[in-house]
Amino acid sequence: MRNGRGRKGTWIAGSLLALATLAGAQTAPMTHEEAHRRAEALLKQMTLDEKVGQMNQSAGVTIPGLGSEKPDALITQGKVGSILWLIDVKEINRLQHLAVDKSRLHIPILFAFDVIHGYRTVFPVPLGMASSWDPSVEEQAQHLAGQDARAAGIEWTFTPMVDIARDARWGRMVEGAGEDPYLGSAMARAQVRGFQGTSISTDSILACVKHYAGYGAADGGRDYDSSYVPEELMRNVYLEPFHAAEQAGAATFMSAYMDLNDVPATGNHWLLTDVLRNEWGFKGFVVSDAFAVGSLVTHGYASDPQDAAYKAAMAGLNMDMASLTFTHNLAALVQSGKVSEAQIDAAVLPILEAKYDLGLFDHPYVDESKVDAVLSRPEGLTLERKLAGRSMVLLKNEHQTLPLSSSLKKVAVIGPLADSVKDIEGGWTVEGLFGGPSKSHPVTVLAGLKTRLGAGAEVSFVPGPPLSRLYPSMFDEMSGKKPLPPPTAAETADWVAKAKAAAEQADVVIAVMGEAADMSSEAASRATFDLPGIQQQMLEAAASTGKPVVLVLENGRPLDIRWATEHLPAILEAWYPGTEGGNAVADVLFGDVDPGGKLPVSWPRIAGQEPLYYNHNLTHEPEDRPGFTSRYWDISSKPLYPFGYGLSYTSFKFANLRLSSKSIQKSGKTEVSVDVTNTGRMAGDAVAQIYIHQRYGSASRPVRQLKGFERVTLQPGETRTLTFPLGKDELSFWSPQTKVWAVEPSTFDVWAGEDSTASLHAELTVTE
Ligand code: NOJ
């Protein structure tokens, strides 16, 4: 059944009813078939203007610099299908009343917002959640976020972002699941399940898979820049998580901003119609990214706004986000015969269906009295702390520096992020999005450490100067805020001396450093990966005392931590861990939680290595052989830490890799099994990872490709046998020569282990 409406229930299903009661909604008994029938009937009553109205998503707030107006007049004329960027529930209800009471056909508005990693309870940023290598982390987080959003009047979120990011200069890496299509697909499916549940109803919100497609391949890692991606790379890598999300039933897609191979994604027929609808059978609707229809003129693709509306509609776009280009031009295009009314009908139908599926016609309003109770549910914070702990990656731990002893008496905490409430939750928080006050109470690392250590310990704190930057962040720019200037030489010397003095007095130093939350994400690319500001100087000063320094990173992309890797005993990657982040960091630092996360990206040494990814082809002898090889003369071309890497407080042994059949026909299947043993003295989490390589065929294939993974908790001494399938889904690829997906006869290497450099090996033969 399409759109996942017929999928079997997941563990989540049971809890849906409870929230529906809490939020005052009732489950809608409507089947999708009924929704479809009603949508068709409604469409028959609509004028052309009303149809075009459903294809318009208006801005619900005035955004400085972007000139959006209040949508009241358009709403009463039936010219607004959806509204975005509005979370004030009173205003949501007011506008909904306008639509339901005052517009001719009383069609409710679909309210949309970027609920990216939580509503009031903010979960780790998506790159962090992907580091858990546990799709249930995403599913649980997005389920709670979706419930919160629905109770607060948001029925549609612009999530998941499933763009493959092979280049950490690109700021939006933080919003996705990293570089790998297999891991990214698993995280994409989990998020769709989390938001939409088993079927779209009064209890779910619509997911929106973005940014379709190829956005992460931006030239030079500069956000919005052109992408040039050949079809084989699109199909084998960039499109994979989109397809996975579509198969999982995602109701909506968002077209990307950039040109894909010179054709803007928002006017790209190949993407929006040939692949999405004709090949994959997508039956939902596609919204453009904000202002992207109007921007087709900026791209030099459309001659004027009417041409932009024409090209976007003909490519297969259903809804125009915020540019009003459809509103002002589509009806004229129909009247002149350039666009048929049947095309408009086809574009509008899935929008109306979604409104029926969601139960909006029966329950259009928010119960304002219940919103706060839902958003402040304590179970949200408990869940967030647990998921944040599962998302952290231990990069280094020498001399058993970690876990820390609970009886520490003197701890120095240094770094501008250690007590920064606005950074611990990362970017794209709902309540803080337009600089609004967040009603969550984020726990910083400093606060978490103090709570964990209790009154018996002395905790000193040297923040250093706030992080400065060349340009203001996107939101600061909109509100006219200037970036802070860098510290003077005298201020720098003073902070560095203070960091050193604090370290001298302490038993251990916890340095909480990285990037401010707005230094990654949209319009936040970087050309260097150094620790911004004077963080590096403070770190070196603290380490020069000989005291153990633990570096806790808060960041949205890998950074240049070569010095730290060489000189510090312990490094914990916390990403932006969310509302309970500080407590979760303390849980891991003190060993209450074993760090079991793994890197979803290859960690570069410096920015000059980018794009850097493990699943590349081998086009010459490998780097470590003598002779002419593909390498730099000034630095290793290998990552500092490989894809899939992460330590634990215990150790694991992988053994006995075996295949149920060592030779299969190309239509066949085999199973790969491996025994994983906890060889240490603590319980801990291992992530078993399976990689393959096709040795020859109709095209060169990557040196390794992830094709299976599972995160398991093992007690000391415990052995678990894990089994993974290898068949059509894992072995096939889209060949640029045959132009089809197929399994080819070949020899395949199979590896199992703890990261993408795993050495435990087996061989599989695939015959005709
Ligand atoms: C622009 C961003 O690219 C996209 O990710 C977001 O969902 C929309 N704006 C709406 O806020």
Side-chain angles (χ1 to χ4, degrees):
M1 207 183 273
R2 77 165 183 83
N3 273 359
R5 291 175 173 92
R7 277 182 293 109
K8 288 205 184 84
T10 63
W11 61 270
I12 270 170
S15 61
L16 288 171
L17 213 56
L19 182 92
T21 318
L22 187 60
Q26 290 150 21
T27 42
M30 196 185 300
T31 62
H32 180 65
E33 287 65 32
E34 176 67 4
H36 173 72
R37 203 188 53 70
R38 290 201 199 180
E40 275 194 323
L42 178 58
L43 193 60
K44 289 201 178 92
Q45 300 173 47
M46 292 168 74
T47 63
L48 177 59
D49 279 347
E50 285 165 340
K51 290 174 188 172
V52 172
Q54 291 301 307
M55 298 170 73
N56 167 42
Q57 182 174 57
S58 280
V61 284
T62 310
I63 303 171
L66 295 177
S68 313
E69 282 159 27
K70 284 243 174 213
D72 295 34
L74 287 177
I75 293 173
T76 47
Q77 292 161 31
K79 290 185 176 172
V80 177
S82 174
I83 284 188
L84 83 162
W85 297 325
L86 181 64
I87 56 166
D88 174 349
V89 289
K90 283 198 168 20
E91 181 68 357
I92 287 177
N93 274 343
R94 186 185 74 80
L95 296 179
Q96 190 69 295
H97 269 290
L98 278 184
V100 173
D101 304 339
K102 301 271 163 60
S103 74
R104 189 181 73 92
L105 289 172
H106 318 289
I107 304 174
I109 293 166
L110 182 60
F111 287 92
F113 206 90
D114 291 281
V115 185
I116 306 293
H117 52 120
Y119 197 101
R120 180 168 302 163
T121 297
V122 181
F123 292 100
V125 288
L127 193 64
M129 288 202 264
S131 299
S132 69
W133 287 60
D134 174 4
S136 82
V137 164
E138 289 273 23
E139 186 170 347
Q140 293 174 71
Q142 302 301 32
H143 174 61
L144 192 122
Q147 288 187 322
D148 284 0
R150 189 73 206 254
I154 301 300
E155 299 106 8
W156 182 18
T157 178
F158 302 125
T159 318
M161 188 198 97
V162 305
D163 295 309
I164 295 291
R166 291 175 151 191
D167 186 337
R169 291 173 299 175
W170 188 55
R172 305 202 78 168
M173 173 181 268
V174 65
E175 298 174 54
E179 74 188 37
D180 185 67
Y182 188 89
L183 180 67
S185 296
M187 294 300 165
R189 283 189 289 266
Q191 295 190 69
V192 173
R193 285 196 299 270
F195 288 124
Q196 296 188 176
T198 50
S199 63
I200 297 164
S201 71
T202 45
D203 300 318
S204 36
I205 64 170
L206 306 179
C208 183
V209 192
K210 70 186 189 186
H211 306 85
Y212 188 64
Y215 186 40
D219 268 1
R222 289 176 298 274
D223 201 10
Y224 313 127
D225 221 328
S226 305
S227 295
Y228 290 95
V229 188
E231 187 170 355
E232 54 273 22
L233 196 54
M234 280 305 284
R235 290 188 180 273
N236 290 310
V237 177
Y238 285 91
L239 288 178
E240 277 290 87
F242 286 95
H243 195 193
E246 191 278 328
Q247 301 253 286
T252 77
F253 270 54
M254 182 189 293
S255 67
Y257 275 131
M258 80 304 147
D259 289 353
L260 174 67
N261 304 325
D262 289 342
V263 181
T266 296
N268 192 312
H269 192 274
W270 180 75
L271 279 175
L272 301 184
T273 298
D274 298 348
V275 174
L276 183 60
R277 292 195 185 276
N278 297 347
E279 283 183 32
W280 297 351
F282 177 66
K283 298 281 193 293
F285 66 93
V286 185
V287 65
S288 71
D289 204 333
F291 311 102
V293 179
S295 299
L296 293 178
V297 178
T298 317
H299 286 250
Y301 182 59
S303 56
D304 55 28
Q306 187 166 105
D307 192 32
Y310 172 74
K311 285 186 165 137
M314 295 304 279
L317 190 82
N318 304 69
M319 191 182 277
D320 169 4
M321 184 189 286
S323 86
L324 294 172
T325 312
F326 276 179
T327 305
H328 295 143
N329 297 286
L330 265 188
L333 286 164
V334 174
Q335 276 140 13
S336 68
K338 283 193 83 180
V339 174
S340 74
E341 190 148 353
Q343 279 170 296
I344 300 291
D345 288 354
V348 175
L349 189 68
I351 300 170
L352 297 176
E353 282 174 353
K355 292 185 179 186
Y356 280 110
D357 282 330
L358 285 161
L360 265 190
F361 286 85
D362 297 326
H363 304 286
Y365 305 113
V366 188
D367 184 343
E368 292 172 33
S369 68
K370 299 218 164 102
V371 176
D372 238 38
V374 175
L375 296 185
S376 307
R377 285 177 293 158
E379 61 263 38
L381 294 178
T382 312
L383 181 67
E384 157 24 39
R385 182 168 177 170
K386 182 174 121 198
L387 303 187
R390 287 182 81 71
S391 300
M392 291 177 201
V393 186
L394 184 62
L395 295 175
K396 186 175 178 194
N397 190 21
E398 256 176 21
H399 321 303
Q400 295 183 325
T401 305
L402 298 177
L404 298 172
S405 155
S406 300
S407 53
L408 277 173
K409 287 283 165 274
K410 286 182 163 191
V411 176
V413 177
I414 64 170
L417 299 174
D419 200 31
S420 174
V421 173
K422 76 175 176 45
D423 290 305
I424 190 95
E425 293 184 331
W428 284 118
T429 63
V430 173
E431 291 177 332
L433 189 58
F434 296 110
S438 172
K439 291 187 187 144
S440 72
H441 300 286
V443 180
T444 63
V445 176
L446 181 67
L449 287 171
K450 281 185 173 166
T451 308
R452 181 62 176 72
L453 281 163
E458 218 178 277
V459 180
S460 64
F461 175 44
V462 181
L467 294 176
S468 57
R469 44 190 293 164
L470 183 57
Y471 294 112
S473 73
M474 186 172 67
F475 294 111
D476 282 354
E477 192 157 36
M478 287 196 285
S479 55
K481 273 196 223 149
K482 298 264 176 295
L484 293 163
T488 62
E491 285 164 347
T492 300
D494 186 45
W495 282 119
V496 170
K498 281 184 177 139
K500 187 169 177 182
E504 264 157 3
Q505 299 301 313
D507 303 325
V508 66
V509 180
I510 314 283
V512 187
M513 297 184 170
E515 302 171 306
D518 60 10
M519 287 177 175
S520 57
S521 197
E522 188 175 349
S525 295
R526 290 189 67 190
T528 60
F529 293 160
D530 51 354
L531 288 169
I534 67 163
Q535 296 181 101
Q536 183 70 31
Q537 286 147 275
M538 288 175 64
L539 200 56
E540 292 186 19
S544 72
T545 61
K547 296 293 171 62
V549 178
V550 177
L551 175 61
V552 175
L553 287 167
E554 281 181 25
N555 47 326
R557 58 161 66 77
L559 297 172
D560 180 349
I561 52 166
R562 287 173 296 164
W563 185 90
T565 293
E566 206 179 314
H567 296 98
L568 302 184
I571 306 174
L572 177 69
E573 175 56 83
W575 307 112
Y576 298 108
T579 309
E580 281 286 304
N583 286 330
V585 166
D587 289 342
V588 171
L589 290 181
F590 286 91
D592 306 331
V593 167
D594 180 51
K598 309 286 166 194
L599 291 176
V601 288
S602 303
W603 192 291
R605 293 159 201 272
I606 55 169
Q609 286 179 295
E610 296 288 1
L612 182 71
Y613 46 96
Y614 82 96
N615 47 358
H616 59 85
N617 290 359
L618 183 66
T619 58
H620 220 87
E621 288 299 306
E623 170 172 14
D624 20 31
R625 303 252 175 94
F628 293 98
T629 65
S630 166
R631 64 185 174 201
Y632 305 107
W633 65 255
D634 51 353
I635 198 162
S636 164
S637 56
K638 291 190 177 161
L640 188 62
Y641 298 107
F643 174 80
Y645 169 86
L647 301 171
S648 152
Y649 291 149
T650 185
S651 51
F652 301 98
K653 191 174 122 218
F654 283 67
N656 207 6
L657 179 66
R658 58 219 183 259
L659 296 166
S660 60
S661 307
K662 288 185 181 156
S663 177
I664 57 171
Q665 288 184 319
K666 61 187 195 183
S667 56
K669 219 176 191 168
T670 187
E671 277 184 344
V672 44
S673 300
V674 65
D675 299 339
V676 188
T677 305
N678 181 343
T679 50
R681 286 197 301 262
M682 283 177 70
D685 279 17
V687 178
Q689 302 170 34
I690 303 293
Y691 293 88
I692 65 159
H693 167 235
Q694 180 177 335
R695 289 199 194 155
Y696 53 86
S698 71
S700 306
R701 301 301 298 139
V703 289
R704 290 197 179 199
Q705 289 180 278
L706 180 72
K707 290 295 174 182
F709 67 89
E710 190 174 344
R711 179 168 173 163
V712 286
T713 303
L714 297 175
Q715 299 305 315
E718 185 184 353
T719 298
R720 185 96 55 91
T721 299
L722 301 175
T723 300
F724 304 87
L726 283 184
K728 184 162 99 8
D729 289 347
E730 293 77 24
L731 301 174
S732 64
F733 76 104
W734 192 90
S735 167
Q737 300 227 69
T738 62
K739 304 221 178 286
V740 290
W741 283 91
V743 179
E744 297 184 346
S746 188
T747 305
F748 287 79
D749 298 295
V750 180
W751 294 273
E754 292 188 84
D755 63 48
S756 56
T757 66
S759 55
L760 194 60
H761 179 259
E763 214 173 280
L764 170 68
T765 306
V766 176
T767 60
E768 271 301 333

